[in-house]
Amino acid sequence: MTPAHGLSGIFRRPRPVKPQPGQESVWDYPRPPRVEHRPERVIVRLGGQVIADTTDAVRVLETSHPPVYYLPLDAFPAGALVPVGGTSFCEFKGEAHYFDVVAGGVVVRRGAWTYPEPARGFESLRTRVALYPRHMDSCEVDGVPVTSQEGDFYGGWITPNIVGPFKGGPGTAGW
């Protein structure tokens, strides 16, 4: 096997799950990503407390990724989001800045992020924050519990109406 042949298996696109009525496939999402406003009620709990409850969310949709919900910064009580050092870079959205998320005696280090100076096309993220659902007590969208995207890098929110397969788990780096 030649190296080129061996690598081709790593970068092969998986077979998308065919969505049923009322479902969305992440393989129908665009690249570069799209931002869309959503009217659903989004509730996030940490440390036994509701730390966000809003009907003013946006979600970012990108090929192979579950949606990432961004909530208004002002939906969080004072002290729930504590800015911390360090950044990361998204080729589409720009430079992300991080927060520790704090509630009910629980501290989730770097559990949330924002784009204070987002790239063109992502301006609506400027005053919003995204959270890693796996590190919260719970996240829900219109009363439906969210499960998290595999891996430690992405923060996708999976509900029953979203089908994959999803990037983030082992062996998906080349998708």
Side-chain angles (χ1 to χ4, degrees):
M1 173 167 36
T2 65
H5 177 74
L7 288 176
S8 68
I10 294 172
F11 297 106
R12 186 174 306 138
R13 179 180 166 163
R15 179 169 296 159
V17 173
K18 183 178 180 181
Q20 300 300 312
Q23 291 184 319
E24 303 173 10
S25 170
V26 298
W27 293 94
D28 293 331
Y29 294 164
R31 188 168 172 88
R34 177 177 75 235
V35 177
E36 65 178 27
H37 289 267
R38 300 300 294 191
E40 296 102 343
R41 184 175 184 194
V42 175
I43 299 174
V44 178
R45 292 178 181 84
L46 179 67
Q49 300 176 1
V50 172
I51 61 166
D53 185 344
T54 185
T55 56
D56 181 25
V58 300
R59 64 181 193 162
V60 173
L61 308 176
E62 181 177 355
T63 305
S64 77
H65 296 271
V68 175
Y69 280 77
Y70 286 78
L71 312 180
L73 285 163
D74 63 9
F76 293 84
L81 300 173
V82 179
V84 295
T87 61
S88 62
F89 185 78
C90 171
E91 65 183 304
F92 301 113
K93 297 179 287 290
E95 188 175 74
H97 294 248
Y98 290 85
F99 298 98
D100 286 349
V101 185
V102 180
V106 175
V107 177
V108 177
R109 304 262 179 242
R110 296 173 62 90
W113 69 97
T114 189
Y115 291 92
E117 297 296 328
R120 199 170 105 213
F122 295 92
E123 293 87 357
S124 62
L125 301 182
R126 179 174 321 227
T127 58
R128 296 178 179 277
V129 63
L131 303 143
Y132 292 103
R134 80 176 37 214
H135 300 301
M136 303 299 116
D137 291 351
S138 66
C139 298
E140 59 185 62
V141 178
D142 269 351
V144 176
V146 169
T147 57
S148 60
Q149 181 174 11
E150 278 191 81
D152 293 330
F153 186 72
Y154 303 110
W157 293 38
I158 303 171
T159 54
N161 66 319
I162 306 295
V163 297
F166 309 113
K167 185 172 183 165
T172 65
W175 294 359

